[in-house]
Amino acid sequence: MKNLVTLDELREAHKRVTGAVVRTPLLPCPHGDADRPLWLKPESLQPIGAFKLRGAHNLIASLTDEERARGVVAHSSGNHAQAVAYTARHFGIRAVIVMPDTAPAVKVEATRALGAEIVMVTPDRRDTAAFELAEEHGYTAVPPYDDRRIIAGQGTAGLEIAEDLPDASTVLVPVSGGGLISGIATAVKSLRPDTKVIGVEPELAADAAESLRTGVRATWPSEATYRTIADGLRTTSLGELPFAHVLRYVDDIVTVSEDQIRAAVRFLGRSARLVAEPSGAVATAAYLFRRDALPPGRDHVAVVSGGNVDPALYAQLI
């Protein structure tokens, strides 16, 4: 068993990110079921529109001055890219971001506007090119999920959920590379062990559900995962460290269809007045449409992980 992130690490991360990230509220959604109240954790309200700022700031803030001076490099389809670029600008350091050429234009443009240098690659090169650049130029790599400092940073959202709604029955969390669910599950299970933590991912990118079911970390081909509209959840496998956390802390992972994701985006826009990208809506989709797969209980929390959606796509979905 890998050395898992501790509650103390999460608390140190929370100190580190306080003032740099928004402590997002838990919003009651009046259009949830009366016997199963829905609370929304709108990480879409972070300065860069997604939870990724928590992990990126925690990692970069923990570097030495010499490491930061060499600059940082990251790979991302958009939200982690913006988080690293935003944090690098905060510290006045160079940021190089490797992005797949399939990334939404709105995310590429937002990352560039934050001052980062963009390197576009094919999707199959996304996960390797950043580390090649780090070795070549001496940059510090800022992984999107497979790093304990990233997991601890993302887990600060879980500390807030446990504090704001200690009696929550179920916490629903989107799953891609696994950094967010690893951190939130560590926080929630450490503080509120009776609360169920359920991961949610698209049916078309269900590598994490397969991994938890079999106990073996599954890898899906990118041509399979890139079919989903949820562009932030197209990662082909869980990270190694996140997988260890999922096995230890996560109660289940359920999947949602493309139509259910689209409907959840509409629901959040119309009923909760929250702009959510498809990736950010999957937890809500599970609450709305997968009650059969969820544990019994009253208060449910759905993490709205991001709101960086292409305007034209959002117009279609709404």
Side-chain angles (χ1 to χ4, degrees), residues 18-31:
T18 295
V21 306
V22 173
R23 183 189 171 107
T24 53
L26 278 184
L27 301 177
C29 184
H31 299 283

Side-chain angles (χ1 to χ4, degrees), residues 2 143-148 150-151 177 179 217 238-243:
K2 286 184 174 290
Y145 47 83
D146 207 352
D147 186 288
R148 63 189 312 109
I150 294 291
I151 291 172
R217 189 166 67 102
L238 289 166
E240 291 185 9
L241 187 56
F243 181 47

Side-chain angles (χ1 to χ4, degrees), residues 14 30 33 261:
H14 202 268
D33 296 341
I261 295 170

Side-chain angles (χ1 to χ4, degrees), residues 42-192:
E43 288 296 291
S44 51
L45 301 182
Q46 292 294 345
I48 56 90
F51 75 95
K52 290 285 192 177
L53 185 58
R54 295 176 181 269
H57 190 93
N58 186 52
L59 190 155
I60 294 173
S62 70
L63 298 178
T64 65
D65 290 342
E66 191 273 335
E67 287 172 325
R68 281 198 292 265
R70 294 201 303 265
V72 295
V73 64
H75 62 89
S76 168
S77 64
N79 287 337
H80 181 60
Q82 292 175 72
V84 172
Y86 181 89
T87 304
R89 189 177 70 175
H90 170 81
F91 284 102
I93 63 176
R94 183 180 188 184
V96 178
I97 310 294
V98 175
M99 303 185 77
D101 54 19
T102 54
V106 65
K107 294 184 177 181
V108 176
E109 292 163 6
T111 304
R112 185 174 286 116
L114 289 168
E117 176 186 339
I118 308 297
V119 177
M120 303 298 292
V121 298
T122 55
D124 61 301
R125 289 266 298 139
R126 184 180 82 164
D127 294 347
T128 57
F131 295 102
E132 293 169 2
L133 289 169
E135 184 174 349
E136 181 180 355
H137 298 285
Y139 305 139
T140 297
V142 183
Y145 47 83
D146 207 352
D147 186 288
R148 63 189 312 109
R149 296 162 294 181
I150 294 291
I151 291 172
Q154 318 303 26
T156 60
L159 294 178
E160 295 167 9
I161 292 170
E163 182 175 333
D164 291 347
L165 193 65
D167 295 328
S169 169
T170 301
V171 178
L172 301 164
V173 188
V175 182
S176 184
L180 179 62
I181 196 168
S182 296
I184 287 180
T186 299
V188 170
K189 289 296 189 179
S190 298
L191 295 170
R192 311 292 176 196

Side-chain angles (χ1 to χ4, degrees), residues 233-247:
L233 305 182
R234 291 170 177 167
T235 303
T236 58
S237 69
L238 289 166
E240 291 185 9
L241 187 56
F243 181 47
H245 287 77
V246 166
L247 290 178

